[in-house]
Amino acid sequence: MNSQDLQNHQWKNRIVLVLSNDSDSKKFIHQIADLKSASEGCAERKLVMYQFIPNEVHSNSFDGSESKKWTSASDLYTKFMKKGDDFKFVLIGLDGSVKEEQTEPMESQELFAIIDGMSMRQAEIRKN
């Protein structure tokens, strides 16, 4: 999986990247569980989640479609995980730019508040 794969989502999906150097990390497990438990809100906000650990990537859309798994190195893991990082959360907007990046998990309600404050999301809300 590489950066170009994310370009396929541009103008269609917002992307959450959840990265960790350990699949057993409490932060990693908590972040994924929190987003999955809020799947209806994630789907409403057109979110797709990619979970990264070294040499493995999983994708989850929240629209009920099947998750996918790749077992290969990812340039996205290398791009976002810096030396000494054990966890990273990244939000990428519909335009493909990074909107939020942090080294602690983000609660789904906080994530929704950030997204709902974005101008494109405001337009979606008005349209619906």
Side-chain angles (χ1 to χ4, degrees):
M1 155 143 265
N2 58 48
S3 299
Q4 286 192 317
D5 293 323
L6 295 185
Q7 291 176 348
N8 295 332
H9 292 288
Q10 193 168 9
W11 306 116
K12 293 183 260 183
N13 299 102
R14 293 174 181 91
I15 302 166
V16 169
L17 306 179
V18 182
L19 307 102
S20 179
N21 56 11
D22 180 5
S23 63
D24 294 327
S25 158
K26 288 181 181 181
K27 292 178 183 179
F28 187 69
I29 291 166
H30 173 78
Q31 183 69 75
I32 292 165
D34 181 60
L35 290 173
K36 285 182 175 182
S37 72
S39 60
E40 188 175 307
C42 291
E44 179 184 324
R45 289 163 181 84
K46 302 178 184 178
L47 279 170
V48 173
M49 174 174 56
Y50 286 93
Q51 306 158 39
F52 294 84
I53 55 174
N55 300 314
E56 192 173 302
V57 181
H58 290 260
S59 73
N60 287 39
S61 61
F62 296 96
D63 61 6
S65 59
E66 192 172 317
S67 66
K68 297 177 183 144
K69 176 182 174 183
W70 297 271
T71 51
S72 62
S74 170
D75 68 337
L76 291 167
Y77 183 88
T78 306
K79 177 180 178 178
F80 288 105
M81 289 292 280
K82 305 300 181 217
K83 188 174 183 171
D85 285 344
D86 64 343
F87 175 86
K88 188 71 67 93
F89 173 91
V90 181
L91 171 63
I92 300 173
L94 288 174
D95 63 358
S97 67
V98 173
K99 303 298 185 184
E100 189 74 30
E101 184 175 345
Q102 60 187 50
T103 58
E104 293 295 324
M106 179 177 287
E107 297 300 319
S108 55
Q109 294 308 313
E110 182 183 355
L111 173 63
F112 295 165
I114 290 169
I115 292 170
D116 291 349
M118 295 177 180
S119 58
M120 293 193 74
R121 175 67 179 148
Q122 290 291 311
E124 290 171 8
I125 292 169
R126 283 191 300 272
K127 184 178 172 185
N128 294 332

